[in-house]
């Protein structure tokens, strides 16, 4: 392996798109809490800590999953030999250390969220992933908690709670669909994921019902006065994309989970637009 191939492998381990997305969610949490202008340094520390934690969490997941990924994801950095398992573990440790160093500069509630999340990221693959629904719920909590973390970094956490719930439910739906996608390798590894425990179709029905609940609940931030009307204009197409994706996953879970992620990105954009609309009423 050349240095370039190893460097590319290390970057891949972090899942850069998810790093950027989760950091953006933390920023949105701070923005919705109204603290970006008042506390720019705390916001920057929380955003960077999230990026490092997600990179570390993904890298340690690929380390623990190195055998299973020979079946499920043979092109990933460890199975294809670009990064050694020990290298991935050390890299993850370095990123975790960076996340901790930044998180300890924040208020106590944010430190508590970071502490729980860092433990959850380390424990996920070995202790939760193989338990039906529980591993999915843990990842759902982690993704939703980015909004709470961003808000806690600047003080007021209440407006972020409903965003936490919506993002967690949408993520739970997607994680269940991803388990349907991965059923072959997971079975060989002896995991007991939700589709293995109750069957693929039933798992997809559970995923779809959960998403419908989140979509029905999606106007709540507007109804509670956290967002302006512009939120509804952006969240409506996001809801439509997500519902269509859940439907598609019955025919093709890979397409379904990937489209669901685009719908979730659009919903996250709706949160920004919705809050900005409160500050600039001309935006609707
Ligand atoms: C109904 C409604 C309005 C829902 C809100 C949905 C929302 C705003 C969700 C936010 C979630 C989001 C945009 C997450 C993006 C990326 C992220 C951190 C994903 C976590 O991924 C874990 C996963 O297991 C890794 O999989 P993959 O993406 O396939 O690499
Ligand atoms: C705010 C702070 C401090 C942390 C945020 C932590 C967040 C948002 C984590 C997001 C979820 C995440 C990246 C979890 C890491 C582990 C994981 C589920 C990786 C997914 O790897 P795959 O190999 O695609 O899927 P499975 O291993 O679950 O099959
Ligand atoms: Mg994995």
């Amino acid at each position: 392996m050349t240095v370039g191939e190893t460097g590319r492998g290390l970057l891949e381990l972090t899942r850069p798109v998810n790093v950027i997305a989760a950091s953006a969610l933390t920023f949105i949490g701070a923005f919705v809490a109204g603290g970006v202008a008042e506390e720019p340094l705390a916001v920057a520390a929380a955003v960077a800590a999230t990026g490092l934690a997600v990179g570390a969490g993904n890298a340690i997941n690929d380390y623990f999953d190195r055998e299973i990924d020979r079946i499920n994801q043979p092109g990933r950095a460890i199975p294809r030999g670009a990064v050694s398992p020990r290298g991935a573990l050390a890299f993850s440790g370095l990123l975790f250390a960076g996340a901790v160093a930044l998180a300890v500069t924040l208020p106590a509630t944010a430190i508590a969220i970071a502490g729980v999340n860092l433990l959850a990221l380390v424990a996920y693959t070995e202790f939760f992933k193989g338990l039906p629904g529980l591993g999915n719920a843990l990842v759902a909590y982690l993704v939703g908690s980015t909004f709470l973390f961003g808000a806690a970094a600047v003080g007021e956490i209440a407006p972020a709670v409903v965003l936490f719930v919506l993002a967690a439910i949408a993520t739970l739906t997607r994680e269940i669909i991803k388990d349907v996608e991965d059923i072959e390798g997971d079975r060989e590894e002896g995991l007991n994921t939700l589709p293995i425990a109750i069957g693929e179709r039933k798992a997809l029905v559970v995923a779809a019902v959960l998403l419908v609940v989140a979509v029905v609940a999606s106007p709540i931030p507007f109804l509670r006065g956290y967002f302006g009307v512009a939120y509804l204009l952006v969240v409506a197409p996001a809801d439509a994309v997500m519902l269509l994706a859940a439907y598609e996953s019955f025919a093709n879970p890979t397409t379904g989970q990937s489209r669901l992620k685009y719908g979730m990105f659009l919903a996250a954009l709706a949160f920004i637009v919705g809050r900005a609309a409160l500050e600039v009423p001309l935006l609707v």
Side-chain angles (χ1 to χ4, degrees):
M1 283 293 146
T2 65
V3 174
E5 281 164 339
T6 304
R8 173 189 279 265
L10 289 174
L11 187 67
E12 273 176 39
L13 283 182
T14 65
R15 310 277 198 288
V17 174
N18 287 354
V19 166
I20 294 167
S23 303
L25 301 185
T26 293
F27 179 84
I28 295 170
F31 183 60
V32 167
V36 171
E38 287 81 5
E39 308 247 26
L41 283 181
V43 175
V47 165
T50 303
L52 289 166
V54 173
N58 277 310
I60 205 166
N61 175 269
D62 275 11
Y63 168 78
F64 286 126
D65 274 345
R66 58 196 183 283
E67 293 306 328
I68 209 170
D69 281 346
R70 284 185 214 289
I71 303 160
N72 282 344
Q73 309 282 352
R76 284 195 175 167
I78 300 177
R80 76 166 189 272
V83 179
S84 69
R86 278 172 62 103
L89 190 61
F91 180 56
S92 168
L94 207 70
L95 298 179
F96 270 125
V100 169
L102 288 167
V104 293
T105 67
L106 298 171
T109 316
I111 295 178
I113 296 171
V116 170
N117 288 7
L118 295 173
L119 287 176
L121 283 165
V122 174
Y124 165 72
T125 320
E126 292 288 87
F127 300 106
F128 292 93
K129 178 171 156 168
L131 301 173
L134 254 181
N136 304 137
L138 191 75
V139 175
Y141 156 76
L142 281 168
V143 172
S145 76
T146 51
F147 293 113
L148 298 178
F149 184 56
V154 294
E156 180 59 60
I157 189 166
V161 173
V162 54
L163 308 190
F164 159 75
V165 174
L166 292 175
I169 301 177
T171 304
L172 185 53
T173 295
R174 181 166 178 266
E175 291 298 313
I176 294 172
I177 300 171
K178 273 170 56 102
D179 276 351
V180 172
E181 191 188 11
D182 284 348
I183 197 161
E184 199 191 315
D186 289 351
R187 229 186 222 130
E188 262 185 59
E189 192 68 12
L191 296 180
N192 190 20
T193 60
L194 195 66
I196 293 174
I198 66 169
E200 290 187 38
R201 210 185 143 73
K202 269 196 193 148
L204 288 170
V205 170
V206 170
V209 169
L210 284 167
L211 187 72
V212 169
V213 171
V215 164
V216 169
S218 65
I220 291 175
F222 168 75
L223 298 172
R224 299 209 63 152
Y226 298 142
F227 295 153
V229 181
Y231 166 68
L232 296 179
L233 299 178
V234 184
V235 89
D239 283 345
V241 171
M242 289 187 282
L243 287 174
L244 208 68
Y247 177 72
E248 270 179 321
S249 67
F250 283 85
N252 187 338
T254 304
T255 316
Q257 65 89 354
S258 151
R259 298 228 168 118
L260 184 54
K261 190 159 163 177
Y262 291 119
M264 287 157 73
F265 282 141
L266 193 56
L269 182 70
F271 296 165
I272 303 184
V273 171
R275 170 69 207 205
L278 275 192
E279 317 244 335
V280 189
L282 280 182
L283 272 179
V284 190

